[in-house]
Amino acid sequence: MLVAISAVGCATDEQAPEGLAHVRSSGDHDTRFDTDRPTIGHLDPDLLDAVRTAAREAQDDGVRLVITSGWRSRAHQQRLFDEAVRKYGSEEEARRYVSTVDSSAHVTGDAVDIGPTDADDWLSRHGGDYGLCQIFANEIWHFELATTAGGRCPDMLPDSTYRR
């Protein structure tokens, strides 16, 4: 079965507000990923491998995993944070929903946001099998490698303000 992650939607990664990537399958071919776009290609290789394996097994359960956001440039993360400040009225409140440039695991390629909701639910239940853990209680879509495959995920932080 071919399971591929490929970024779509924008001419450049700077324009891609969510670094959208689809996981799709067809036939019985080798697994491969479209890593030509930085939103996928700049992810930590171990994280990418874990997501690829989870996507394959989720597909077997009839669940389609979509990476809705992967690696982000510092400039893109700053734009997201600035938008959150405008939306929530203060930097303190914005940090509950969007990490700063210096604290974002997306900027280092160590986090992915997954969708749709059924995929989030599946990964919340099975993610530890791949080392993928939901990190923040208020972000069901945000996953990082936070344990070894088959390990126990750490307790979730209430929101991103608890990570400095």
Side-chain angles (χ1 to χ4, degrees):
M1 174 188 306
L2 171 66
V3 177
I5 293 180
S6 59
V8 296
C10 296
T12 71
D13 288 293
E14 288 301 311
Q15 294 171 335
E18 296 301 325
L20 194 61
H22 291 280
V23 178
R24 63 186 186 280
S25 67
S26 65
D28 292 315
H29 303 288
D30 293 334
T31 300
R32 66 179 175 82
F33 286 82
D34 177 6
T35 57
D36 293 338
R37 304 255 330 213
T39 55
I40 302 301
H42 286 11
L43 288 174
D44 173 80
D46 292 333
L47 173 63
L48 188 56
D49 286 345
V51 172
R52 179 187 65 201
T53 302
R56 230 186 349 244
E57 294 188 19
Q59 185 79 27
D60 291 345
D61 287 344
V63 176
R64 186 177 70 105
L65 294 184
V66 177
I67 293 178
T68 60
S69 187
W71 172 83
R72 299 175 188 155
S73 70
R74 291 178 64 83
H76 182 67
Q77 186 68 30
Q78 186 64 55
R79 279 192 301 274
L80 293 176
F81 185 73
D82 293 345
E83 289 170 7
V85 170
R86 285 191 295 278
K87 179 177 181 177
Y88 298 109
S90 71
E91 287 188 8
E92 181 179 342
E93 188 65 15
R95 280 194 307 272
R96 293 187 62 223
Y97 305 99
V98 179
S99 293
T100 64
V101 169
D102 293 327
S103 66
S104 174
H106 286 281
V107 171
T108 60
D110 294 317
V112 291
D113 292 347
I114 299 292
T117 304
D118 65 332
D120 298 328
D121 178 62
W122 188 94
L123 202 51
S124 290
R125 289 182 284 116
H126 301 286
D129 296 343
Y130 314 97
L132 296 167
C133 301
Q134 181 183 341
I135 301 301
F136 307 119
N138 71 332
E139 294 186 18
I140 65 169
W141 53 83
H142 183 96
F143 291 87
E144 299 176 19
L145 274 180
T147 189
T148 57
R152 182 182 177 279
C153 288
D155 292 338
M156 283 183 263
L157 300 171
D159 59 52
S160 63
T161 61
Y162 288 79
R163 176 188 283 171
R164 297 285 175 181

